[in-house]
């Protein structure tokens, strides 16, 4: 169940021509907006994104391949909800197998957010993102420097861009670490399931913190 949602993909998609900083801004605004719309609009948006992905350079096959592992975790979420429903009643009813509107909405919000993030990461390299954000930050600092009194305290260097780029680019690295753990798990004869998630997730956290520390030390050594 390799996760490729957040990996860059060389493509001729029209999204590659959009400024990475603008794409990031649109991504943030859209994801935040999801929390202010109800189930039906979110459902419509989900299917619109699926079909809009085709002219944007992402076939239905590639979408299914990327999202296939996610549905496994959604299934776990769904089954947990069913177990909770069954534990709260004495008599079985077919309605207990139907997820609540809250569960359905949260699941759709997750899928839409992942689809939007997929657009961003698959059409944007770390270098492009850093250059774009750095340009935007320098332009903003140049404008702020014209302010009376406070403008003199604004530095000319783009200090914020580097940290933001590191945070955003670490997400694909996190997915890569998970893929490595999963491949090792399968090589030892392990099967996909709740046990795999339960045992590998703590290891993922350890690897992530170790990777972050090594990256930070490497950055310090270059200064």
């Amino acid at each position: 169940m390799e996760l490729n949602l957040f990996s860059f993909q060389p493509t001729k998609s029209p999204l590659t021509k959009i400024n990475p900083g603008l794409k990031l801004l649109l991504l943030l605004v859209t994801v935040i907006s999801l929390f202010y719309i109800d189930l039906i609009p979110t459902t419509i948006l989900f299917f619109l994104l699926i079909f809009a992905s085709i002219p944007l350079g992402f076939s239905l096959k590639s979408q299914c391949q990327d999202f296939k592992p996610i549905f496994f975790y959604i299934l776990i979420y769904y089954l947990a909800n069913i177990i909770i429903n069954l534990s709260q009643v004495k008599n079985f009813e077919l309605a207990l197998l139907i997820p609540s509107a809250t569960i359905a909405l949260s699941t759709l919000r997750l899928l839409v957010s992942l689809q939007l993030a997929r657009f961003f990461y698959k059409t944007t390299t770390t270098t492009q993102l850093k250059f774009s954000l750095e340009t935007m930050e320098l332009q903003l600092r140049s404008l702020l420097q014209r302010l009376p009194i406070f403008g003199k305290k604004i530095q000319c260097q783009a200090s914020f861009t580097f940290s933001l780029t590191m945070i955003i680019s670490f997400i694909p690295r996190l997915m890569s670490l998970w893929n490595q753990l999963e491949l090792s798990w399968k090589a030892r004869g392990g099967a996909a399931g709740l046990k795999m998630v339960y045992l590998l997730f703590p290891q993922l956290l350890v690897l992530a913190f170790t990777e972050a520390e090594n990256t930070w030390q490497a950055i310090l050594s270059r200064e």
Side-chain angles (χ1 to χ4, degrees), residues 4-131:
N4 295 314
L5 280 171
F6 306 113
S7 60
F8 175 73
Q9 174 184 316
T11 177
K12 296 181 179 180
S13 172
L15 294 177
T16 58
K17 301 178 181 179
I18 300 178
N19 183 288
L22 178 59
K23 282 191 289 186
L24 179 61
L25 178 61
L26 291 174
L27 171 62
L28 295 175
V29 171
T30 308
V31 170
I32 293 174
S33 301
L34 287 176
F35 293 92
Y36 296 93
I37 60 177
D38 295 326
L39 179 60
I40 294 179
T42 306
T43 304
I44 294 174
L45 178 59
F46 171 65
F47 286 104
L48 283 177
L49 288 175
I50 290 177
F51 292 108
S53 297
I54 299 176
L56 290 176
F58 305 101
S59 65
L60 287 175
K61 181 179 179 181
S62 68
Q63 294 181 67
C64 292
Q65 290 175 341
D66 284 346
F67 280 99
K68 184 178 179 181
I70 300 300
F71 285 109
F72 169 76
Y73 299 103
I74 291 177
L75 178 61
I76 295 176
Y77 183 43
Y78 166 74
L79 292 176
N81 180 59
I82 299 303
I83 293 173
I84 293 175
N85 290 342
L86 294 176
S87 65
Q88 294 176 345
V89 297
K90 296 181 179 180
N91 299 322
F92 174 80
E93 297 179 3
L94 187 60
L96 297 174
L97 300 179
I98 302 176
S100 63
T102 302
I103 297 298
L105 179 57
S106 60
T107 302
L108 283 170
R109 282 173 174 169
L110 172 63
L111 290 173
V112 171
S113 299
L114 290 175
Q115 182 75 301
L116 293 172
R118 179 175 179 268
F119 289 158
F120 175 77
Y121 279 102
K122 285 189 172 295
T123 60
T124 310
T125 65
T126 302
T127 303
Q128 291 173 339
L129 178 63
K130 181 179 181 299
F131 178 78

Side-chain angles (χ1 to χ4, degrees), residues 181-193 195-196 199-200:
L181 286 173
E182 189 174 358
L183 289 174
S184 299
W185 173 267
K186 291 181 178 180
R188 295 194 299 268
K195 183 179 179 180
M196 182 192 74
L199 293 177
L200 294 187

